[in-house]
Amino acid sequence: MLLEISIKYVHFLCIFAIVGALVGEHLLLKPTLSRQELRRLSRIDAIYGISALLLLAAGFTLWFGVGKPADFYTKNWIFHLKIGLFVLIGLLSIYPTVFFLQQSKGQDEELVSIPPLLVWCVRLELLALAIIPFCASLMARGIGTFA
């Protein structure tokens, strides 16, 4: 019982960290950034990535280890939608992560143009992230199960 509660707690903390990091990235983005600002964004993005990996580990533990039986999740199409959205978020985050890492090298004062596509990737990540709690609420009510 304590193990399940602890893993759920880690799961929630990771969700909060992901949301905070992604909102922080979005708020710090502007058309041009200095290399120093890009390094800051890269650190925030690292927190985002570590939180996503911990969330994934906690989620798999809840799915296959503790809590409800695995079939509760496996036989629910809304759960699969949640996982699909999480994968989409992960794929969308690749471009910003690579950009931040590549462009953060250089002189602090040097300015770098931020591609509009990068901003849209972050915005789409936020949109997908906003849908996941709705899916979780539906799942908690038992909606979406199939035989």
Side-chain angles (χ1 to χ4, degrees), residues 45-65:
D45 198 62
I47 292 168
Y48 172 60
I50 291 167
S51 299
L53 290 174
L54 287 172
L55 177 74
L56 195 59
F60 273 118
T61 304
L62 289 169
W63 185 2
F64 295 113

Side-chain angles (χ1 to χ4, degrees), residues 67-126:
K68 294 181 173 105
D71 277 353
F72 176 82
Y73 300 104
T74 306
K75 294 185 176 184
N76 189 310
W77 69 267
I78 293 175
F79 175 74
H80 293 280
L81 176 62
K82 263 180 65 174
I83 296 296
L85 289 169
F86 188 76
V87 169
L88 175 66
I89 291 167
L91 292 172
L92 286 169
S93 74
I94 292 170
Y95 177 56
T97 298
V98 170
F99 184 86
F100 295 151
L101 289 173
Q102 287 178 342
Q103 298 299 322
S104 63
K105 298 173 184 118
Q107 299 296 324
D108 283 355
E109 306 80 30
E110 214 175 339
L111 292 178
V112 175
S113 289
I114 303 301
L117 178 61
L118 187 144
V119 177
W120 279 104
C121 283
V122 173
R123 288 177 180 167
L124 288 172
E125 287 177 73
L126 283 167

